[in-house]
């Protein structure tokens, strides 16, 4: 039985090691920031290396103070982020906000998370992804401007066409006037 127990333990440890390796490979190669915290945001349990690229801050600063990421949140968005953090334990967490990197660059973040419950249905962890959506926001703004310009140009061209049509209708006879 000792041998059987030792073999089972070794197999368990091997499976656990494989699982941890798989998690790290996935987490450390994501282009989103993966974070895992306790429900009260008092402890950051894990954050992948992408945090440093997106926030321009060290992961250690987040492990030292799990709410330190809020310091980078744009002042106009800070209250809504704090409010979302306070209510996240009641369910899903989803918010879009801006951050200012140490060099002054502003980035748009789409941050969302879900509660994780233990076998007793007690909330014990929060897991989330924060994605840099700056390029998407810029494209959206560019498309909005293009849309406004096209609508304006089409409206002007249609006004000219309508004016000529009215002129033709008022000066023409018969079928031409009807067309």
């Amino acid at each position: 039985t000792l041998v059987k127990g030792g073999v089972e333990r070794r197999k368990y440890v091997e499976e656990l090691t494989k699982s941890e390796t798989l998690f790290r490979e996935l987490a450390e190669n994501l282009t989103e920031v993966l974070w895992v915290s306790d429900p009260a945001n008092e402890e950051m349990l894990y954050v992948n290396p992408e945090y440093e690229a997106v926030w321009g801050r060290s992961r250690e600063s987040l492990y030292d103070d799990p709410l330190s990421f809020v310091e980078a949140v744009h002042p106009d968005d800070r209250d809504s982020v704090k409010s979302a953090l306070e209510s996240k334990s009641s369910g899903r967490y989803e918010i879009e906000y801006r951050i200012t990197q140490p060099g002054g660059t502003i980035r748009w973040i789409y941050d969302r998370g879900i509660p994780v419950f233990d076998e007793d249905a007690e909330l014990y962890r929060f897991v989330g992804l924060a994605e840099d959506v700056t390029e998407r926001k810029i494209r959206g703004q560019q498309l909005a401007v293009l849309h406004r310009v096209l609508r304006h140009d089409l409206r002007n061209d249609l006004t000219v066409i309508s004016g000529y049509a009215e002129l033709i209708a008022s000066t023409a006879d018969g079928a031409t006037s009807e067309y």
Side-chain angles (χ1 to χ4, degrees):
T1 7
L2 276 177
V3 173
K4 185 177 180 185
V7 170
E8 288 175 2
R9 178 167 169 70
R10 189 169 3 125
K11 189 173 182 172
Y12 173 77
V13 169
E14 286 174 6
E15 290 299 316
L16 189 59
T17 302
K18 283 181 189 176
S19 180
E20 183 178 332
T21 300
L22 182 62
F23 170 78
R24 291 217 179 268
E25 287 173 353
L26 172 68
E28 293 181 6
N29 288 293
L30 284 173
T31 57
E32 295 89 5
V33 176
L34 172 66
W35 53 267
V36 181
S37 72
D38 72 321
N41 288 315
E42 293 174 354
E43 183 180 6
M44 183 59 61
L45 304 170
Y46 178 80
V47 63
N48 69 345
E50 191 65 16
Y51 177 77
E52 293 179 351
V54 174
W55 260 259
R57 296 166 176 248
S58 72
R59 292 190 295 163
E60 287 73 29
S61 67
L62 200 57
Y63 288 125
D64 291 343
D65 178 5
L67 293 176
S68 65
F69 80 94
V70 177
E71 296 167 8
V73 174
H74 191 279
D76 293 344
D77 299 338
R78 202 167 286 152
D79 287 342
S80 60
V81 169
K82 287 179 180 178
S83 176
L85 286 171
E86 289 169 4
S87 65
K88 81 176 192 181
S89 62
S90 63
R92 294 182 168 273
Y93 165 84
E94 185 174 1
I95 188 168
E96 193 170 87
Y97 54 89
R98 293 164 290 176
I99 61 168
T100 305
Q101 294 175 323
T105 303
I106 294 178
R107 308 299 296 173
W108 279 92
I109 305 298
Y110 172 56
D111 196 356
R112 65 251 186 229
I114 57 169
V116 179
F117 300 92
D118 63 16
E119 58 276 352
D120 297 325
E122 294 291 322
L123 176 64
Y124 82 104
R125 202 171 273 166
F126 227 86
V127 178
L129 287 173
E131 180 181 3
D132 183 341
V133 294
T134 306
E135 299 307 316
R136 184 182 76 200
K137 292 291 273 190
I138 290 170
R139 278 194 310 277
Q141 291 167 347
Q142 290 169 338
L143 284 172
V145 168
L146 180 62
H147 182 256
R148 280 195 308 272
V149 168
L150 284 174
R151 282 183 45 204
H152 175 265
D153 289 353
L154 283 173
R155 219 180 277 133
N156 284 349
D157 289 345
L158 287 174
T159 300
V160 170
I161 291 169
S162 180
Y164 279 124
E166 288 175 15
L167 180 63
I168 291 170
S170 69
T171 58
D173 300 349
T176 303
S177 176
E178 287 180 40
Y179 291 137

